[in-house]
Amino acid sequence: MNLNVKKGDTVLIIAGKDKGKTGKITSCDPKGGRVVVEGCNIITKHTKPRGANQPGGINKLAGPIDVSNVQIVCPSCNKATRVAHKEEGDNKLRVCKKCGASLEPKKAEKKAKKSKTDKSEAAPAEEVKEKKSAKKPAAKKTTAKKPAKEEVETTEPTADGGEN
């Protein structure tokens, strides 16, 4: 089954006991067609103690919701929308049906921008990194105060039993 939503997308629940709530998707199950939305479909799970580090008790956690009961929220128009697909070159992007804006996370756009940069632009960035790494060891040397520990004087008892 092909899902139109991904982990990290903000979705609106359109059916069920949590209808009208929004939240981020924490996990997806494409084979089962279900998603887990944080803060929605809270279930209680009773666990038995399994040792000293795993106590038993009643845990509340988010349960899975069928993917047909959620709609993605467009980050540009802030409306729940269906997903359209648009091809740009070799990439297949998800876009909003209402406003046409991209639904892909901004991280993917940054990666695409980095790959388009020239090698001449990348060289100054490497020089800056080298300069920063050269400064870090100097800063560490100034903070180390090992000679101060060696200068500590010790008192020795004298022959009459007293100290110096």
Side-chain angles (χ1 to χ4, degrees):
M1 177 178 244
N2 187 13
L3 303 181
N4 290 325
V5 292
K6 294 180 181 179
K7 182 178 176 181
D9 286 342
T10 303
V11 294
L12 172 74
I13 298 178
I14 59 173
K17 68 178 183 181
D18 293 322
K19 182 177 179 178
K21 288 186 180 179
T22 59
K24 281 195 171 192
I25 295 179
T26 56
S27 68
C28 294
D29 178 19
K31 287 184 180 178
R34 298 175 80 74
V35 294
V36 176
V37 181
E38 66 181 24
C40 300
N41 194 24
I42 301 298
I43 58 173
T44 56
K45 186 169 185 176
H46 298 262
T47 57
K48 289 179 78 173
R50 299 287 181 195
N53 58 351
Q54 289 183 341
I58 301 171
N59 300 327
K60 294 186 181 261
L61 52 105
I65 301 172
D66 195 82
V67 74
S68 65
N69 295 337
V70 298
Q71 273 192 331
I72 192 165
V73 176
C74 177
S76 61
C77 64
N78 291 326
K79 294 181 181 177
T81 181
R82 292 168 57 199
V83 178
H85 294 280
K86 182 179 178 183
E87 290 188 20
E88 287 186 9
D90 295 338
N91 299 334
K92 188 175 180 182
L93 300 176
R94 299 177 303 152
V95 295
C96 174
K97 279 270 195 181
K98 294 185 177 180
C99 67
S102 176
L103 296 174
E104 297 300 325
K106 293 182 180 180
K107 293 177 185 177
E109 293 172 10
K110 288 181 182 178
K111 289 179 183 177
K113 287 180 183 178
K114 286 183 181 179
S115 64
K116 291 180 183 178
T117 57
D118 295 334
K119 292 179 181 177
S120 61
E121 292 177 7
E126 291 174 2
E127 292 175 9
V128 171
K129 288 180 183 176
E130 290 175 10
K131 289 179 183 177
K132 287 182 181 178
S133 63
K135 290 180 183 178
K136 287 180 182 177
K140 289 180 182 176
K141 288 180 184 175
T142 58
T143 57
K145 295 183 179 180
K146 290 182 181 177
K149 291 180 181 177
E150 294 173 5
E151 294 176 6
V152 175
E153 295 181 15
T154 58
T155 58
E156 297 178 12
T158 58
D160 61 346
E163 293 184 5
N164 285 345

